[in-house]
Amino acid sequence: MNPVDPERLRVRELGATQLLRGAEIEGRTQPAHLEGEELERHVEERVMTTTLDKAVAWARSNSFFPATFGLACCAIEMITIVASRVDIARFGYEAFRASPRQADLIILSGRVSIKMAPIIRRLYDQMLEPKWAISMGACCSSMGVFNNYALVPADKFMPIDVHVPGCPPRPEALMHGVLKLRKMVQDDPDSSWRERYGAVGTEEALPGA
Amino acid sequence: MPDATGLELIGQELGSAVLDTVFFRERATLVIEPDSVRDVLAHLRGEGYAFMASLHGVDYYPEEPRLGVVYELLDMARVDRISVKLRVHSQAPEVDSAMPDRPGDRGWPTAVHQEREVYDMFGVVFRGHPDLRRILMPEDYEGYPQRRDFPLGGEPVTFTYNDPKRPPATA
Amino acid sequence: MSPVEHETSAQSEKLSEYRRREQSITLSEVDRPGGPPDAAGDGEPGETRQELLTLNFGPHHPATHGVLRLLVTLQGEVVRDIKPIIGYVHTGIEKTAEDKSYWKVIPVIERMDYLAYYFNAMAFCGAVETLVEVEVPKRAQYLRVINLELNRIASHLFWLATSALDLGAISMFWYCLRERELIVDLFEMSSGQRMHTRYFQVGGVIEDVPRGYAEKLRSFLKLMPGRVDQYRALLNGNEIVLARLRGTGRLDAESLLALGVTGPLLRAAGNPWDLRKAQPYCSYGDFDFRIPIGTVGDNYDRLVVRLAEMDESVKIIGQALEGLPEGPYMTSDRKVALPPRHELATSMEALIHHFKLVTEGFRVPPGEAYYPVESPRGELGCWVRSDGSAKPARVHMRDPSFVNLQAFSQMAEGGYIADMIATLAMLDPILGGIDR
C-alpha cells in the first residue's frame, strides 16, 4: 500500500529465536511465547515460506531470459552487452528469447514512439508472470533528447522496474542496471510496483473476448 | 551544379513554368509553377538529371503560398545537381504525383515513400499517387506534425516549483 | 477488467477501419478464386482456389533489423508481395531540430541513423557551413575523414555481425563485435562517448585528438586487414552462406537507379557511383582509394562489396593519419565557433562572443542548402533552410535506408521467405534513419 516501511524490512533479518517467539506478529507489543500447536503453525508459516521464497527468488534472479527487443540506438549497446567484452553470459542472462511468452525480462532499448507503444504494451502483457521491465536509456525513461509529439515515456503505459539513464548507456551501465534488478529480485521482490499497488500482474486484453 | 548562366538557360528553355531561378552558394534552384511539375521533371530528365535524390517538404509559414515541395535532382554523368522547388497554398495543397508513368514520360518510382512522407508531415496531397497514406505517424492521426504551427508537444519538465506531487514549502 | 471489455466491444463499431485492421489477428487469408482450370477433368473450370497467405512480420520479430513491419503475401513459401510498414520509431527529429539552435541540433540529428552517427553530423555541419560560408581548417577535415571512415568500418562490422546472425553464421557476431569494440574505444578516446559523440561541430571538430590516439589507431589499422581476411575466409568457406546469398535478391542497376537507391546496393549492381570520388567533399580528393563494385547485383555481391569497403576505409585512414597536418582543429571565425578558453580571461570580445554563442547561438544568413555525403548505406543528404535566426527553419535528412527500402519488395518478390530474410539483411536498413 505505502512505500515499504523500513521496520517491515527488518522483519526478515530477525533471527530464528525471535521468529519463534513471534515477535513480529502484528499488533503485539510484547514477544508472545507460543507453545505447542500455535508454535508449530507459526514455524511453518514463517520459516518455511521465507526460506522457500528466498530460494525461488535466488533462482529467478540468476536466470532472467531477456526478450530480444531492440528499438533504436540503445539496442546497439544492448547487443554489445551480449558480445565478449561485457559478457552478459557471465551472469546467466545470455538466453535471449524472441517470443514474449518465453521471456521474463523486457529491456526497452530505445525511443518509444506513438505507433509502437500499444505494441510494446501488448508484448509486455503477453509475457507470463513473473516478469520485469528495464527501461534503458533516456528516451524511454523520460523523454530523453526528444521532448516532442512523437514519443511516449515508458512509464506512461507500462510499469517499469529499473530505469537506466544514458544516451546510450554504456554496456557497463546497462549491466549495472540488470544487476540492480537482480539484487532487487533476490533480496526484496516485494518492493516493486506490485506490492505498492497491490497488483497481481498485467494480462493481455484480447479484443472482443 | 550548373553555374549561374547554365541555370538561366535552363530557366529560359522551360519558359512560363519557371517562376524564379535562385543561384545561392553555388547551388542552383528553379522555382516552378506547381501544375507544371511533371513537365519540368521530364524536361530535366531529358537534360540528363535522371536521378531524383530527394523529395521533401518545407513549410514557409507564415508566408503564403505556404507549403513547398523540393525535388533534388542529380545528373550522374556530369555530376551536377539541381533543385526544383514549388510552393502551394495551404488551402489547396495539391500537386501532381511524380510517381506514376504518363504517356511519353516515365514516372519516378523513388517518389512513392517520399511523397507519402510529405503528405504525412505537411498535408500536401499528391494527385495520382497509388497509395497515399500516412507513413510515419499512425494512419488515423490528425494533424500535420511538421507544419510550423503544429505544437512541438512532449511532456512538461517537472522542476521543484511545478512538481504536483511535492508538498508546498512551508514558511 | 470487464468494464474495459464492454467498452472496447461497444466502441469497436466506432473504431476506424485502420484500427479494426490492426486489432485483427495477424494471419489472414486472401483467397483468389480460379485455380488451375479443369482440375476435375469434367470440362468445367476447377473449384480449387489458390490461397495467398498474408503474414505479418510484426515490428517485434527476431529477423527484422529494428522495428520494421512487413506484410508479406505468400504463395506457399514463395513471396508474392511485400508491403513494408514503418513509423514505429518515428521520433520527430526534424521537428525537434527546428526548436534548437544550430549547434544544439547536432546531438539531435546524430541520433537519426544510429549506426552512422558521424555521417549524420557531417551532412548537417556541411549544410550549415555552406550557408554560413565558413572555412573548415585542413586538420579538422582530416580528423573528420578519419572518424568518418572509422564509423564506416564500425557500421559495416555491426551490419556483418547481425546479418550473419540472421543467416545462422553466429560466430561472425562475436568476432565483428570484438573489432567494433576497438573502434568504439578510439571514439571514446577522442570525444568521450562511444556513440553519438557530437564530435563534429560547425566549423571543425570539437577537440583535438589526445596523446596516444595515433599509436592506438595505428595498431588498429595493422590489425584490421587481417581480420577482414578472416571474415572473408569464414564466410566464403561456408557452403550454406554461399548458397543462401548467391543469386538471391537480384535487382539490376537500372531499376535501382529509378528507385533512388545508392550506396553499396548500387555498387554491387555494377554502377560505380560513390560521392567520395564523384563529388569529393572534406578532402576526400587527397586520398588514394578504390571503389569496389560487384557484377551481378545479388546478395553475395553486396556482402563482398561491403567487406572490400572495409579494406578501402583502412587505407584511407592510414593515409589521413600519416598526412595529418598541423594547425587549428576549429575555424577561427568567432561568430561561429567558441573562442579558446584562455582568451576569455584577457579579451572582452572573446567573452562577448562566447556569451552570444552559448546563449543564443550563431545566426545563419537566410537560404537553403543541400549537402550530400556518402554514408555506409548510400547518399545521406541534409537540406537546411535558414531564415536568418539562430534556429534552423527546416532540417530534412535524406536518409538512404528510407529510399533503399522501396527496392526491397522488388528484390524479394519471387523468392522464398528465407531469401527474403537474407535480402533484408543485405539491404542494411536502419530504422532510425527510415523513421527519423
Side-chain angles (χ1 to χ4, degrees):
Chain A
M1 23 162 231
N2 304 320
V4 185
D5 197 19
E7 292 300 309
R8 286 181 61 90
L9 283 177
R10 276 205 280 282
V11 164
R12 294 163 213 275
E13 316 285 330
L14 285 177
T17 40
Q18 285 182 302
L19 275 172
L20 290 175
R21 263 190 265 140
E24 77 280 15
I25 294 181
E26 295 279 352
R28 280 182 183 265
T29 47
Q30 288 170 7
H33 291 277
L34 303 171
E35 322 231 345
E37 274 278 343
E38 273 192 16
L39 182 60
E40 276 191 35
R41 214 179 332 123
H42 178 72
V43 166
E44 258 180 34
E45 266 177 28
R46 292 291 170 164
V47 177
M48 295 292 284
T49 320
T50 312
T51 314
L52 189 60
D53 265 346
K54 265 199 162 67
V56 167
W58 178 86
R60 277 183 185 152
S61 67
N62 278 323
S63 65
F64 290 133
F65 277 27
T68 57
F69 192 71
L71 287 165
C73 352
C74 286
I76 312 286
E77 297 290 41
M78 189 178 74
I79 292 175
T80 315
I81 217 182
V82 184
S84 45
R85 184 179 281 192
V86 183
D87 189 7
I88 206 176
R90 288 182 283 164
F91 305 101
Y93 310 141
E94 78 278 13
F96 275 72
R97 292 279 171 254
S99 162
R101 302 271 186 210
Q102 297 174 7
D104 60 5
L105 172 63
I106 188 167
I107 303 183
L108 284 184
S109 50
R111 22 199 211 241
V112 179
S113 79
I114 287 190
K115 229 168 159 177
M116 193 66 193
I119 295 173
I120 300 179
R121 181 65 210 226
R122 204 164 152 189
L123 281 176
Y124 183 73
D125 289 343
Q126 283 176 350
M127 287 164 71
L128 306 173
E129 290 292 331
K131 58 190 176 186
W132 296 277
I134 289 184
S135 159
M136 173 187 179
C139 285
C140 37
S141 311
S142 51
M143 297 285 265
V145 186
F146 314 101
N147 194 354
N148 58 23
Y149 62 92
L151 289 192
V152 184
D155 285 304
K156 272 203 154 173
F157 63 89
M158 67 186 258
I160 302 279
D161 293 291
V162 176
H163 297 84
V164 182
C167 190
R170 290 184 63 102
E172 289 92 341
L174 178 61
M175 204 65 240
H176 183 74
V178 177
L179 291 177
K180 251 194 152 73
L181 180 69
R182 170 174 173 262
K183 199 163 167 46
M184 194 180 91
V185 173
Q186 225 174 48
D187 295 341
D188 210 357
D190 286 341
S191 67
S192 75
W193 52 272
R194 290 185 183 80
E195 184 70 13
R196 209 178 307 146
Y197 299 121
V200 172
T202 68
E203 271 175 28
E204 189 181 3
L206 292 168
Chain B
M1 333 295 154
D3 56 358
T5 30
L7 180 61
E8 290 299 325
L9 287 172
I10 297 180
Q12 274 170 12
E13 276 171 38
L14 287 165
S16 61
V18 172
L19 297 173
D20 196 11
T21 61
V22 179
F23 192 74
F24 180 70
R25 304 276 193 264
E26 316 294 315
R27 278 154 171 74
T29 308
L30 285 173
V31 185
I32 63 167
E33 280 281 336
D35 291 325
S36 57
V37 58
R38 288 306 299 260
D39 299 323
V40 171
L41 289 176
H43 178 93
L44 287 174
R45 182 189 243 149
E47 294 276 325
Y49 297 96
F51 184 82
M52 183 182 286
S54 174
L55 206 177
H56 50 272
V58 205
D59 188 2
Y60 288 98
Y61 184 79
E63 327 166 347
E64 290 285 358
R66 178 177 157 189
L67 300 171
V69 181
V70 181
Y71 302 77
E72 296 283 340
L73 298 173
L74 163 67
D75 183 346
M76 283 186 167
R78 283 178 303 186
V79 190
D80 233 357
R81 287 186 192 266
I82 189 170
S83 311
V84 176
K85 197 162 73 168
L86 56 89
R87 290 171 68 156
V88 280
H89 215 268
S90 57
Q91 251 66 40
E94 287 197 4
V95 179
D96 279 332
S97 165
M99 191 259 147
D101 289 338
R102 285 183 161 188
D105 176 27
R106 279 191 332 260
W108 304 79
T110 183
V112 175
H113 277 197
Q114 306 195 56
E115 283 181 353
R116 277 178 72 184
E117 189 204 345
V118 177
Y119 167 67
D120 187 3
M121 294 284 128
F122 292 95
V124 178
V125 174
F126 289 92
R127 291 185 290 244
H129 192 276
D131 185 22
L132 198 65
R133 290 175 292 146
R134 285 188 179 265
I135 193 172
L136 296 177
M137 301 305 292
E139 273 175 42
D140 52 357
Y141 193 80
E142 283 169 17
Y144 299 109
Q146 269 175 3
R147 288 198 179 178
R148 298 277 273 170
D149 50 354
F150 191 87
L152 186 58
E155 301 287 312
V157 184
T158 18
F159 298 97
T160 38
Y161 63 82
N162 60 353
D163 187 355
K165 295 206 190 88
R166 194 186 157 92
T170 48
Chain C
M1 270 320 166
S2 24
V4 175
E5 282 174 356
H6 285 318
E7 261 173 35
T8 47
S9 58
Q11 271 178 359
S12 57
E13 280 81 43
K14 288 190 230 140
L15 283 177
S16 65
E17 176 61 39
Y18 160 67
R19 291 283 170 201
R20 210 172 312 132
R21 246 189 299 140
E22 295 296 309
Q23 272 190 348
S24 63
I25 54 179
T26 54
L27 282 184
S28 67
E29 274 182 32
V30 172
D31 49 26
R32 263 161 100 181
D38 206 11
D42 54 357
E44 301 264 333
E47 278 187 11
T48 54
R49 292 180 305 198
Q50 291 179 0
E51 281 183 347
L52 291 179
L53 179 67
T54 304
L55 196 59
N56 185 35
F57 268 63
H60 175 72
H61 182 90
T64 61
H65 288 244
V67 282
L68 173 65
R69 179 173 168 202
L70 299 170
L71 279 178
V72 181
T73 308
L74 297 167
Q75 186 186 12
E77 279 231 0
V78 177
V79 173
R80 287 296 170 214
D81 187 30
I82 297 183
K83 277 206 206 13
I85 302 181
I86 58 182
Y88 290 97
V89 76
H90 173 66
T91 327
I93 288 185
E94 298 179 346
K95 178 102 184 165
T96 309
E98 288 174 17
D99 194 46
K100 304 200 180 307
S101 37
Y102 281 90
W103 65 284
K104 286 188 182 171
V105 171
I106 294 173
V108 171
I109 213 83
E110 261 177 343
R111 280 149 173 83
M112 187 193 80
D113 181 343
Y114 44 77
L115 269 188
Y117 23 103
Y118 282 104
F119 293 91
N120 301 332
M122 178 74 220
F124 177 72
C125 289
V128 177
E129 282 154 13
T130 318
L131 287 174
V132 178
E133 281 194 318
V134 72
E135 176 76 32
V136 180
K138 208 68 174 153
R139 185 179 174 87
Q141 289 188 15
Y142 273 53
L143 284 174
R144 279 182 175 183
V145 167
I146 290 177
N147 280 295
L148 285 172
E149 293 305 311
L150 275 176
N151 203 180
R152 189 186 305 270
I153 301 178
S155 169
H156 282 328
L157 279 172
F158 197 85
W159 160 82
L160 189 56
T162 45
S163 302
L165 192 66
D166 281 351
L167 295 174
I170 306 186
S171 314
M172 296 303 301
F173 181 74
W174 311 109
Y175 299 141
C176 292
L177 286 185
R178 175 189 59 183
E179 258 67 72
R180 184 176 169 267
E181 287 290 322
L182 297 174
I183 298 182
V184 156
D185 276 346
L186 283 166
F187 289 156
E188 201 181 350
M189 217 174 161
S190 64
S191 65
Q193 260 267 76
R194 290 163 57 105
M195 293 174 65
H196 306 325
T197 56
R198 62 89 184 109
Y199 188 60
F200 289 5
Q201 296 287 321
V202 176
V205 294
I206 202 170
E207 251 178 4
D208 209 345
V209 288
R211 238 181 327 196
Y213 184 80
E215 281 76 45
K216 207 158 176 198
L217 185 55
R218 255 180 226 121
S219 67
F220 169 74
L221 293 176
K222 242 199 303 270
L223 175 78
M224 198 59 201
R227 294 283 158 87
V228 177
D229 285 335
Q230 283 178 4
Y231 303 150
R232 234 179 251 126
L234 256 179
L235 290 173
N236 282 345
N238 187 336
E239 287 261 345
I240 298 182
V241 163
L242 290 179
R244 280 191 80 171
L245 294 182
R246 274 230 172 90
T248 53
R250 192 186 310 200
L251 198 56
D252 59 309
E254 267 290 320
S255 324
L256 287 175
L257 281 175
L259 285 160
V261 174
T262 50
L265 293 169
L266 188 62
R267 291 198 280 278
N271 187 326
W273 177 254
D274 187 329
L275 281 172
R276 297 175 288 171
K277 286 281 196 197
Q279 277 187 309
Y281 56 94
C282 195
S283 313
Y284 267 109
D286 294 352
F287 307 117
D288 169 40
F289 59 100
R290 297 179 302 171
I291 306 291
I293 61 175
T295 43
V296 177
D298 59 0
N299 285 333
Y300 183 66
D301 274 349
R302 292 167 195 147
L303 171 74
V304 168
V305 160
R306 286 197 179 104
L307 280 172
E309 273 186 11
M310 284 202 267
D311 272 330
E312 298 298 321
S313 292
V314 168
K315 279 203 303 214
I316 299 177
I317 300 175
Q319 292 169 38
L321 186 61
E322 298 314 315
L324 190 61
E326 296 297 323
Y329 56 86
M330 184 68 154
T331 178
S332 48
D333 184 352
R334 294 278 184 272
K335 297 266 183 299
V336 167
L338 287 176
R341 286 206 77 97
H342 61 261
E343 267 185 40
L344 293 181
T346 49
S347 154
M348 192 59 197
E349 289 89 38
L351 200 60
I352 296 176
H353 279 133
H354 185 101
F355 176 75
K356 286 298 281 183
L357 282 174
V358 169
T359 51
E360 191 195 355
F362 54 88
R363 290 171 181 258
V364 174
E368 297 159 1
Y370 177 74
Y371 193 86
V373 301
E374 180 76 23
S375 90
R377 274 155 271 284
E379 172 176 324
L380 173 66
C382 182
W383 192 84
V384 174
R385 170 177 169 246
S386 63
D387 54 1
S389 72
K391 300 187 176 169
R394 168 91 168 110
V395 176
H396 172 77
M397 303 294 284
R398 184 261 189 213
D399 185 72
S401 304
F402 185 59
V403 182
N404 293 356
L405 195 63
Q406 293 171 110
F408 181 50
S409 51
Q410 282 192 20
M411 279 182 197
E413 265 163 20
Y416 294 117
I417 273 197
D419 295 336
M420 185 191 88
I421 302 290
T423 309
L424 184 62
M426 293 296 138
L427 188 78
D428 200 6
I430 289 289
L431 266 297
I434 294 181
D435 287 344
R436 266 165 278 128

